[in-house]
Amino acid sequence: MLLLLAAVLTTAPIAACGSTAGPGAGPAPSVVRVSVPATPASADPGQLAATAAATNAFGVDLYRALTADGGAGRNLVLSPSGLATALAMVLPGARGATADELSKALHTGLTPARYAAATGALDRLSRPAGGKDGTVLRRSDTLWAQQGFALDPGYLATLAAAFDTGVRTTDFRKDPAGSRQAVNALVEQDTEGRVKDLFGPRDITPDTRLVLTDALYLKAKWREPFPHAHTSDQPFHRPDGNAAPVSTMGRNAALRYAEGSGGIAGQPWQAVELPYAGSNLAMDLVVPAQGGFEGFVRGLDAPQLDRILGGLAERQVDLTLPRFTFETSNDLVAPLRSLGVNAAFDDADLGGIPGPGEQERLKVDAVVQKATVAVDEDGTVAAAGSGVGIGAAAAEMPRQAVELHIDRPFVFLVRDTATGQPLFLGQVTDPRP
Protein backbone atom coordinates (compact mmCIF):
# COMPACT_ATOMS: atom_id res chain seq x y z
CA MET A 1 0.00 0.00 0.00
CA LEU A 2 1.08 3.57 -0.40
CA LEU A 3 0.91 6.66 1.76
CA LEU A 4 1.86 9.92 0.04
CA LEU A 5 2.51 13.27 1.72
CA ALA A 6 3.82 16.49 0.20
CA ALA A 7 5.40 19.80 1.37
CA VAL A 8 7.96 22.45 0.27
CA LEU A 9 11.25 22.32 2.12
CA THR A 10 14.63 24.01 1.93
CA THR A 11 17.71 22.12 0.79
CA ALA A 12 20.46 22.21 3.41
CA PRO A 13 22.84 19.33 2.74
CA ILE A 14 22.80 15.82 4.21
CA ALA A 15 26.20 14.27 4.83
CA ALA A 16 26.19 10.90 3.06
CA CYS A 17 28.07 7.88 4.37
CA GLY A 18 28.09 6.07 1.03
CA SER A 19 26.12 5.56 -2.16
CA THR A 20 24.75 2.86 -4.41
CA ALA A 21 23.07 2.92 -7.77
CA GLY A 22 19.33 2.84 -7.35
CA PRO A 23 16.94 0.54 -9.22
CA GLY A 24 15.06 1.59 -12.34
CA ALA A 25 15.73 4.35 -14.81
CA GLY A 26 15.82 7.19 -12.26
CA PRO A 27 18.83 9.08 -10.93
CA ALA A 28 21.24 7.00 -8.88
CA PRO A 29 20.39 7.59 -5.21
CA SER A 30 22.91 8.03 -2.44
CA VAL A 31 22.46 5.81 0.63
CA VAL A 32 22.68 7.82 3.83
CA ARG A 33 22.85 6.24 7.31
CA VAL A 34 23.00 7.72 10.77
CA SER A 35 26.66 8.01 11.74
CA VAL A 36 26.48 5.29 14.43
CA PRO A 37 24.65 2.02 13.60
CA ALA A 38 21.43 2.04 15.59
CA THR A 39 20.61 -0.61 18.18
CA PRO A 40 17.13 -2.03 17.48
CA ALA A 41 14.60 -0.30 19.71
CA SER A 42 12.92 -2.54 22.26
CA ALA A 43 9.46 -2.51 23.83
CA ASP A 44 8.11 -4.29 26.89
CA PRO A 45 5.45 -7.03 26.51
CA GLY A 46 2.66 -4.69 27.59
CA GLN A 47 3.55 -2.14 24.89
CA LEU A 48 3.77 -4.91 22.28
CA ALA A 49 0.36 -6.31 23.22
CA ALA A 50 -1.22 -2.85 23.26
CA THR A 51 0.28 -1.95 19.89
CA ALA A 52 -0.84 -5.22 18.27
CA ALA A 53 -4.38 -4.61 19.56
CA ALA A 54 -4.20 -1.01 18.36
CA THR A 55 -3.14 -2.09 14.86
CA ASN A 56 -6.00 -4.57 14.78
CA ALA A 57 -8.50 -1.85 15.76
CA PHE A 58 -7.02 0.57 13.22
CA GLY A 59 -7.27 -2.10 10.51
CA VAL A 60 -10.93 -2.81 11.28
CA ASP A 61 -11.70 0.94 11.26
CA LEU A 62 -10.03 1.32 7.87
CA TYR A 63 -11.75 -1.81 6.53
CA ARG A 64 -15.17 -0.51 7.57
CA ALA A 65 -14.45 2.91 6.04
CA LEU A 66 -13.42 1.30 2.75
CA THR A 67 -16.49 -0.95 2.62
CA ALA A 68 -18.99 1.80 3.47
CA ASP A 69 -21.26 3.38 0.84
CA GLY A 70 -21.47 0.36 -1.44
CA GLY A 71 -17.90 -0.83 -0.98
CA ALA A 72 -19.07 -4.07 0.66
CA GLY A 73 -19.77 -5.47 -2.81
CA ARG A 74 -16.17 -5.60 -4.03
CA ASN A 75 -13.07 -7.64 -3.35
CA LEU A 76 -10.65 -5.89 -1.00
CA VAL A 77 -7.24 -6.52 0.54
CA LEU A 78 -5.29 -4.12 2.75
CA SER A 79 -2.37 -4.40 5.16
CA PRO A 80 -3.11 -2.89 8.59
CA SER A 81 0.47 -3.45 9.78
CA GLY A 82 1.90 -1.97 6.58
CA LEU A 83 -0.08 1.26 6.87
CA ALA A 84 0.51 1.42 10.63
CA THR A 85 4.25 1.09 10.01
CA ALA A 86 4.17 3.88 7.43
CA LEU A 87 2.30 6.16 9.83
CA ALA A 88 4.62 5.13 12.68
CA MET A 89 7.48 6.47 10.54
CA VAL A 90 5.66 9.81 10.23
CA LEU A 91 4.43 10.14 13.82
CA PRO A 92 7.82 10.92 15.48
CA GLY A 93 8.03 14.01 13.28
CA ALA A 94 4.47 15.18 14.01
CA ARG A 95 3.58 17.79 16.60
CA GLY A 96 0.41 19.23 18.19
CA ALA A 97 -2.96 18.36 16.69
CA THR A 98 -1.27 16.48 13.83
CA ALA A 99 0.33 14.05 16.29
CA ASP A 100 -2.80 13.83 18.44
CA GLU A 101 -5.06 12.94 15.51
CA LEU A 102 -2.66 10.37 14.10
CA SER A 103 -2.25 8.75 17.53
CA LYS A 104 -6.02 8.61 18.04
CA ALA A 105 -6.61 7.04 14.62
CA LEU A 106 -3.88 4.49 15.38
CA HIS A 107 -5.49 3.74 18.78
CA THR A 108 -2.24 4.33 20.64
CA GLY A 109 -1.52 6.19 23.87
CA LEU A 110 2.24 5.64 23.61
CA THR A 111 4.62 8.46 22.83
CA PRO A 112 5.54 8.60 19.11
CA ALA A 113 9.01 7.19 19.77
CA ARG A 114 7.67 4.32 21.89
CA TYR A 115 4.93 3.59 19.35
CA ALA A 116 7.53 3.44 16.57
CA ALA A 117 9.70 1.14 18.71
CA ALA A 118 6.78 -1.20 19.50
CA THR A 119 5.62 -1.28 15.88
CA GLY A 120 9.11 -2.07 14.64
CA ALA A 121 9.53 -4.78 17.30
CA LEU A 122 6.24 -6.41 16.27
CA ASP A 123 7.34 -6.33 12.63
CA ARG A 124 10.54 -8.14 13.58
CA LEU A 125 8.77 -10.70 15.79
CA SER A 126 6.38 -11.66 12.98
CA ARG A 127 9.23 -12.67 10.67
CA PRO A 128 9.65 -16.46 10.74
CA ALA A 129 12.98 -18.14 10.19
CA GLY A 130 11.65 -19.45 6.87
CA GLY A 131 13.05 -22.34 4.89
CA LYS A 132 12.30 -24.57 1.98
CA ASP A 133 8.93 -25.69 3.33
CA GLY A 134 8.27 -22.80 5.68
CA THR A 135 6.90 -19.28 5.58
CA VAL A 136 8.73 -16.31 4.06
CA LEU A 137 7.80 -12.89 5.44
CA ARG A 138 9.98 -9.93 4.49
CA ARG A 139 9.56 -6.21 4.85
CA SER A 140 11.77 -3.22 4.15
CA ASP A 141 11.40 0.40 5.20
CA THR A 142 13.11 3.20 3.28
CA LEU A 143 13.23 6.98 3.45
CA TRP A 144 14.00 8.83 0.20
CA ALA A 145 15.08 12.49 0.46
CA GLN A 146 15.75 15.31 -1.95
CA GLN A 147 19.47 15.75 -2.51
CA GLY A 148 20.67 18.52 -0.19
CA PHE A 149 17.65 18.43 2.12
CA ALA A 150 18.50 18.33 5.84
CA LEU A 151 16.74 15.89 8.16
CA ASP A 152 16.56 16.15 11.94
CA PRO A 153 19.20 13.79 13.45
CA GLY A 154 16.87 12.72 16.25
CA TYR A 155 14.13 11.84 13.77
CA LEU A 156 16.61 9.79 11.70
CA ALA A 157 17.86 7.99 14.80
CA THR A 158 14.30 7.07 15.84
CA LEU A 159 13.54 5.55 12.41
CA ALA A 160 16.87 3.74 12.31
CA ALA A 161 16.37 2.20 15.75
CA ALA A 162 12.73 1.23 15.21
CA PHE A 163 12.75 0.13 11.57
CA ASP A 164 16.43 -0.10 10.52
CA THR A 165 15.64 2.77 8.15
CA GLY A 166 18.41 4.72 6.47
CA VAL A 167 18.04 7.37 3.79
CA ARG A 168 18.43 7.24 0.02
CA THR A 169 18.82 10.59 -1.70
CA THR A 170 17.57 11.40 -5.19
CA ASP A 171 16.73 14.53 -7.20
CA PHE A 172 12.96 14.91 -7.12
CA ARG A 173 13.35 18.56 -8.15
CA LYS A 174 15.15 17.98 -11.46
CA ASP A 175 13.94 14.49 -12.35
CA PRO A 176 10.65 13.60 -10.63
CA ALA A 177 9.78 10.94 -13.23
CA GLY A 178 13.13 9.20 -12.85
CA SER A 179 12.95 9.46 -9.06
CA ARG A 180 9.46 7.95 -9.08
CA GLN A 181 10.71 5.07 -11.23
CA ALA A 182 13.55 4.47 -8.77
CA VAL A 183 11.21 4.45 -5.75
CA ASN A 184 8.68 2.20 -7.51
CA ALA A 185 11.38 -0.17 -8.72
CA LEU A 186 12.70 -0.70 -5.19
CA VAL A 187 9.20 -1.44 -3.85
CA GLU A 188 8.58 -3.81 -6.77
CA GLN A 189 11.90 -5.55 -6.07
CA ASP A 190 11.18 -5.86 -2.34
CA THR A 191 7.73 -7.39 -3.02
CA GLU A 192 9.04 -9.92 -5.57
CA GLY A 193 7.31 -8.05 -8.40
CA ARG A 194 3.87 -8.20 -6.74
CA VAL A 195 3.43 -4.43 -6.22
CA LYS A 196 4.11 -2.41 -9.36
CA ASP A 197 3.86 1.35 -9.94
CA LEU A 198 3.12 2.21 -6.33
CA PHE A 199 3.37 5.96 -7.01
CA GLY A 200 1.52 7.40 -10.00
CA PRO A 201 2.88 10.13 -12.30
CA ARG A 202 1.07 12.88 -10.37
CA ASP A 203 2.15 11.61 -6.94
CA ILE A 204 5.83 12.61 -7.18
CA THR A 205 6.55 16.07 -8.57
CA PRO A 206 9.43 18.60 -8.59
CA ASP A 207 8.05 19.81 -5.23
CA THR A 208 8.49 16.42 -3.54
CA ARG A 209 11.16 16.41 -0.87
CA LEU A 210 10.69 13.15 1.06
CA VAL A 211 9.20 9.72 0.37
CA LEU A 212 8.80 7.00 3.02
CA THR A 213 8.10 3.45 1.86
CA ASP A 214 7.20 0.16 3.55
CA ALA A 215 7.25 -3.02 1.42
CA LEU A 216 5.75 -6.24 2.80
CA TYR A 217 5.96 -9.67 1.13
CA LEU A 218 4.48 -12.96 2.35
CA LYS A 219 4.81 -16.44 0.81
CA ALA A 220 3.37 -19.12 3.07
CA LYS A 221 2.48 -22.77 2.60
CA TRP A 222 -0.44 -24.25 4.49
CA ARG A 223 0.59 -26.50 7.36
CA GLU A 224 -1.73 -29.04 5.71
CA PRO A 225 -2.30 -28.35 1.98
CA PHE A 226 -5.60 -28.84 0.21
CA PRO A 227 -5.46 -31.97 -1.99
CA HIS A 228 -5.45 -30.85 -5.62
CA ALA A 229 -7.65 -33.83 -6.51
CA HIS A 230 -10.44 -32.41 -4.31
CA THR A 231 -10.63 -29.12 -6.26
CA SER A 232 -13.68 -28.73 -8.50
CA ASP A 233 -16.01 -26.06 -9.85
CA GLN A 234 -18.70 -25.18 -7.33
CA PRO A 235 -21.26 -22.33 -7.26
CA PHE A 236 -20.33 -19.15 -5.36
CA HIS A 237 -23.19 -16.80 -4.40
CA ARG A 238 -22.22 -13.15 -4.95
CA PRO A 239 -23.72 -10.24 -2.97
CA ASP A 240 -26.12 -9.46 -5.84
CA GLY A 241 -27.73 -12.88 -5.37
CA ASN A 242 -26.37 -14.40 -8.56
CA ALA A 243 -24.23 -17.54 -8.48
CA ALA A 244 -21.35 -18.53 -10.72
CA PRO A 245 -19.08 -21.60 -10.78
CA VAL A 246 -15.63 -21.03 -9.26
CA SER A 247 -12.63 -23.29 -8.66
CA THR A 248 -13.20 -24.54 -5.11
CA MET A 249 -10.79 -26.49 -2.86
CA GLY A 250 -11.87 -28.98 -0.21
CA ARG A 251 -10.52 -30.84 2.81
CA ASN A 252 -11.72 -32.50 6.00
CA ALA A 253 -9.37 -31.74 8.89
CA ALA A 254 -9.01 -30.82 12.54
CA LEU A 255 -9.04 -27.00 12.55
CA ARG A 256 -9.76 -24.18 14.99
CA TYR A 257 -13.42 -23.25 14.41
CA ALA A 258 -16.11 -21.00 15.89
CA GLU A 259 -19.68 -19.97 15.15
CA GLY A 260 -22.05 -17.38 16.48
CA SER A 261 -23.93 -14.23 15.52
CA GLY A 262 -23.05 -10.55 15.27
CA GLY A 263 -23.08 -7.43 13.13
CA ILE A 264 -26.28 -5.58 12.31
CA ALA A 265 -29.34 -7.60 13.43
CA GLY A 266 -27.10 -10.39 14.75
CA GLN A 267 -26.34 -12.23 11.50
CA PRO A 268 -25.09 -15.81 12.02
CA TRP A 269 -21.48 -16.47 11.08
CA GLN A 270 -18.91 -19.27 11.01
CA ALA A 271 -15.14 -18.88 11.34
CA VAL A 272 -12.15 -21.15 10.75
CA GLU A 273 -8.37 -20.75 11.09
CA LEU A 274 -5.85 -22.18 8.59
CA PRO A 275 -2.29 -22.24 10.01
CA TYR A 276 0.79 -21.79 7.83
CA ALA A 277 3.82 -24.06 8.02
CA GLY A 278 6.90 -23.13 10.01
CA SER A 279 5.52 -20.03 11.74
CA ASN A 280 2.89 -18.56 14.07
CA LEU A 281 1.07 -17.06 11.09
CA ALA A 282 -2.42 -18.16 10.09
CA MET A 283 -5.32 -17.12 7.88
CA ASP A 284 -8.69 -16.68 9.59
CA LEU A 285 -11.89 -16.84 7.53
CA VAL A 286 -15.15 -15.35 8.83
CA VAL A 287 -18.21 -16.35 6.79
CA PRO A 288 -21.59 -14.69 7.48
CA ALA A 289 -24.75 -16.56 6.55
CA GLN A 290 -26.08 -16.18 3.02
CA GLY A 291 -27.63 -12.74 2.60
CA GLY A 292 -26.12 -11.36 5.79
CA PHE A 293 -22.69 -10.25 4.58
CA GLU A 294 -23.28 -6.49 4.21
CA GLY A 295 -25.05 -6.22 7.57
CA PHE A 296 -22.29 -8.20 9.25
CA VAL A 297 -19.55 -5.98 7.78
CA ARG A 298 -21.39 -2.78 8.78
CA GLY A 299 -21.55 -3.99 12.38
CA LEU A 300 -18.03 -5.44 12.59
CA ASP A 301 -15.69 -3.77 15.07
CA ALA A 302 -12.43 -4.71 16.80
CA PRO A 303 -14.07 -6.11 20.00
CA GLN A 304 -16.32 -8.37 17.92
CA LEU A 305 -13.39 -9.58 15.82
CA ASP A 306 -11.47 -10.27 19.05
CA ARG A 307 -14.44 -12.31 20.35
CA ILE A 308 -14.59 -14.31 17.10
CA LEU A 309 -10.87 -15.09 17.14
CA GLY A 310 -10.91 -15.76 20.89
CA GLY A 311 -13.70 -18.32 20.46
CA LEU A 312 -11.80 -20.52 17.99
CA ALA A 313 -11.45 -24.09 19.25
CA GLU A 314 -10.42 -27.32 17.60
CA ARG A 315 -13.14 -29.14 15.67
CA GLN A 316 -13.28 -31.55 12.78
CA VAL A 317 -14.26 -29.34 9.82
CA ASP A 318 -15.55 -30.35 6.40
CA LEU A 319 -14.23 -27.25 4.62
CA THR A 320 -14.51 -25.90 1.10
CA LEU A 321 -12.80 -22.66 0.05
CA PRO A 322 -12.63 -20.98 -3.37
CA ARG A 323 -9.25 -20.19 -4.85
CA PHE A 324 -8.83 -16.43 -5.27
CA THR A 325 -6.31 -13.87 -6.45
CA PHE A 326 -6.69 -10.11 -6.85
CA GLU A 327 -5.16 -6.74 -6.02
CA THR A 328 -6.74 -3.52 -4.83
CA SER A 329 -5.67 0.12 -4.89
CA ASN A 330 -7.37 2.73 -2.74
CA ASP A 331 -7.25 6.48 -2.21
CA LEU A 332 -7.14 6.66 1.58
CA VAL A 333 -7.51 10.40 2.22
CA ALA A 334 -11.29 10.24 2.72
CA PRO A 335 -11.17 7.08 4.90
CA LEU A 336 -8.46 8.61 7.10
CA ARG A 337 -10.45 11.83 7.40
CA SER A 338 -13.42 9.73 8.51
CA LEU A 339 -11.17 8.39 11.28
CA GLY A 340 -10.43 11.93 12.46
CA VAL A 341 -7.12 12.60 10.68
CA ASN A 342 -7.61 16.14 9.35
CA ALA A 343 -4.80 18.40 10.57
CA ALA A 344 -2.21 16.36 8.66
CA PHE A 345 -3.98 17.31 5.41
CA ASP A 346 -5.03 20.86 6.26
CA ASP A 347 -2.71 22.64 8.70
CA ALA A 348 -0.07 20.05 9.48
CA ASP A 349 2.74 20.36 11.98
CA LEU A 350 5.49 17.92 10.97
CA GLY A 351 8.18 20.11 12.46
CA GLY A 352 10.13 17.18 13.89
CA ILE A 353 11.19 15.94 10.44
CA PRO A 354 13.33 18.72 8.92
CA GLY A 355 16.74 19.54 10.32
CA PRO A 356 17.86 22.86 11.82
CA GLY A 357 17.41 25.81 9.49
CA GLU A 358 14.53 24.38 7.45
CA GLN A 359 11.71 26.93 7.46
CA GLU A 360 8.84 25.71 5.28
CA ARG A 361 5.98 23.61 6.62
CA LEU A 362 5.00 20.07 5.65
CA LYS A 363 1.56 18.65 4.96
CA VAL A 364 -0.06 15.48 3.71
CA ASP A 365 -1.23 15.75 0.10
CA ALA A 366 -2.41 12.23 -0.76
CA VAL A 367 -2.75 8.75 0.72
CA VAL A 368 -3.17 5.67 -1.49
CA GLN A 369 -2.77 1.94 -1.02
CA LYS A 370 -1.86 -1.04 -3.20
CA ALA A 371 -1.93 -4.66 -2.01
CA THR A 372 -2.33 -8.10 -3.57
CA VAL A 373 -3.26 -11.61 -2.37
CA ALA A 374 -3.38 -15.07 -3.99
CA VAL A 375 -4.72 -18.22 -2.28
CA ASP A 376 -4.60 -21.77 -3.70
CA GLU A 377 -4.24 -25.40 -2.59
CA ASP A 378 -0.64 -24.90 -1.44
CA GLY A 379 -0.85 -21.63 0.47
CA THR A 380 -0.84 -17.85 0.17
CA VAL A 381 1.23 -15.18 -1.53
CA ALA A 382 0.46 -11.59 -0.50
CA ALA A 383 2.24 -8.27 -0.74
CA ALA A 384 1.66 -4.62 0.08
CA GLY A 385 3.58 -1.44 -0.65
CA SER A 386 3.32 1.63 1.60
CA GLY A 387 4.82 5.03 0.87
CA VAL A 388 4.94 8.50 2.39
CA GLY A 389 5.93 11.37 0.14
CA ILE A 390 6.58 14.85 1.54
CA GLY A 391 6.76 17.80 -0.82
CA ALA A 392 5.42 21.27 -1.57
CA ALA A 393 2.43 22.50 -0.01
CA ALA A 394 -7.89 -26.73 22.08
CA ALA A 395 -11.05 -28.66 22.90
CA GLU A 396 -11.87 -32.46 22.74
CA MET A 397 -12.44 -33.64 19.15
CA PRO A 398 -16.11 -34.26 18.36
CA ARG A 399 -16.97 -37.35 16.38
CA GLN A 400 -19.08 -35.46 13.87
CA ALA A 401 -17.43 -32.91 11.54
CA VAL A 402 -18.95 -29.45 11.37
CA GLU A 403 -19.63 -28.33 7.80
CA LEU A 404 -18.33 -25.02 6.44
CA HIS A 405 -18.76 -24.75 2.70
CA ILE A 406 -17.60 -21.26 1.77
CA ASP A 407 -19.89 -20.55 -1.18
CA ARG A 408 -20.64 -16.92 -0.34
CA PRO A 409 -18.78 -13.68 0.52
CA PHE A 410 -16.37 -13.85 3.43
CA VAL A 411 -13.83 -11.81 5.42
CA PHE A 412 -10.19 -12.96 5.72
CA LEU A 413 -7.36 -12.00 8.05
CA VAL A 414 -3.68 -13.02 7.99
CA ARG A 415 -2.21 -12.53 11.46
CA ASP A 416 0.54 -13.53 13.84
CA THR A 417 -1.28 -15.75 16.33
CA ALA A 418 1.46 -15.24 18.93
CA THR A 419 1.36 -11.42 19.01
CA GLY A 420 -2.01 -10.72 17.39
CA GLN A 421 -0.40 -8.44 14.78
CA PRO A 422 -2.68 -8.28 11.68
CA LEU A 423 -0.66 -8.37 8.44
CA PHE A 424 -3.48 -8.49 5.89
CA LEU A 425 -7.25 -7.96 6.15
CA GLY A 426 -9.84 -8.10 3.41
CA GLN A 427 -12.94 -9.64 1.91
CA VAL A 428 -13.81 -11.85 -1.05
CA THR A 429 -17.15 -11.15 -2.73
CA ASP A 430 -16.34 -12.70 -6.13
CA PRO A 431 -13.39 -15.12 -6.39
CA ARG A 432 -13.55 -15.41 -10.18
CA PRO A 433 -10.27 -14.36 -11.87
Side-chain angles (χ1 to χ4, degrees), residues 42 99 111 144 163 203 276 286 306 315 360 363-364 385 397:
S42 61
T111 66
W144 298 75
F163 306 108
D203 294 331
Y276 294 111
V286 184
D306 288 341
R315 294 283 299 272
E360 295 179 289
K363 76 179 184 72
V364 178
M397 186 80 64

Side-chain angles (χ1 to χ4, degrees), residues 407-433:
D407 60 354
R408 54 199 184 273
F410 59 93
V411 176
F412 68 89
L413 173 71
V414 176
R415 65 182 177 120
D416 185 327
T417 59
T419 66
Q421 176 85 323
L423 301 177
F424 295 92
L425 172 64
Q427 64 182 36
V428 177
T429 61
D430 189 348
R432 295 177 299 172

Side-chain angles (χ1 to χ4, degrees), residues 62-78 238-240 293-294 297 326-332 335 369 409-410 412 426-431:
L62 194 62
Y63 169 68
R64 289 184 60 187
L66 288 168
T67 54
D69 300 324
R74 67 181 177 114
N75 292 333
L76 171 69
V77 56
L78 61 96
R238 302 193 300 270
D240 61 10
F293 181 75
E294 291 193 17
V297 168
F326 59 87
E327 76 170 31
T328 55
S329 299
N330 296 289
D331 182 337
L332 296 180
Q369 177 191 83
F410 59 93
F412 68 89
Q427 64 182 36
V428 177
T429 61
D430 189 348

Side-chain angles (χ1 to χ4, degrees), residues 147-382:
Q147 292 174 1
F149 170 67
L151 292 169
D152 183 85
Y155 176 72
L156 276 181
T158 297
L159 296 194
F163 306 108
D164 191 28
T165 303
V167 182
R168 291 172 179 256
T169 63
T170 188
D171 199 340
F172 296 113
R173 189 191 305 276
K174 292 183 179 178
D175 190 2
S179 297
R180 177 176 62 85
Q181 289 171 6
V183 174
N184 286 346
L186 185 60
V187 172
E188 182 175 344
Q189 171 185 300
D190 289 343
T191 58
E192 299 290 334
R194 293 275 168 169
V195 176
K196 303 178 186 293
D197 299 324
L198 184 61
F199 287 90
R202 291 181 294 181
D203 294 331
I204 293 179
T205 73
D207 293 324
T208 299
R209 294 296 176 266
L210 298 174
V211 171
L212 287 160
T213 63
D214 173 86
L216 177 62
Y217 173 77
L218 169 70
K219 184 175 183 181
K221 293 185 177 181
W222 302 123
R223 190 174 298 170
E224 297 181 33
F226 287 83
H228 286 256
H230 293 182
T231 299
S232 62
D233 285 346
Q234 300 293 332
F236 186 91
H237 302 272
R238 302 193 300 270
D240 61 10
N242 294 320
V246 300
S247 183
T248 303
M249 310 176 293
R251 58 184 281 211
N252 191 307
L255 297 167
R256 281 161 47 81
Y257 171 87
E259 60 185 47
S261 61
I264 303 298
Q267 286 85 0
W269 52 262
Q270 294 172 279
V272 68
E273 184 168 276
L274 302 177
Y276 294 111
S279 72
N280 292 318
L281 302 180
M283 174 175 279
D284 297 289
L285 307 168
V286 184
V287 190
Q290 182 65 36
F293 181 75
E294 291 193 17
F296 177 84
V297 168
R298 286 199 305 272
L300 182 65
D301 56 18
Q304 183 184 355
L305 183 58
D306 288 341
R307 286 193 296 271
I308 292 172
L309 299 177
L312 293 167
E314 191 171 275
R315 294 283 299 272
Q316 195 71 19
V317 182
D318 175 8
L319 175 68
T320 66
L321 172 66
R323 296 167 50 154
F324 60 91
T325 179
F326 59 87
E327 76 170 31
T328 55
S329 299
N330 296 289
D331 182 337
L332 296 180
V333 172
L336 284 173
R337 282 189 180 276
S338 75
L339 302 185
V341 179
N342 292 298
F345 302 107
D346 300 327
D347 187 22
D349 184 351
L350 297 174
I353 296 178
E358 301 290 352
Q359 299 297 320
E360 295 179 289
R361 297 175 64 87
L362 316 176
K363 76 179 184 72
V364 178
D365 274 354
V367 182
V368 296
Q369 177 191 83
K370 183 170 284 190
T372 178
V373 61
V375 170
D376 62 15
E377 291 86 349
D378 299 317
T380 302
V381 179

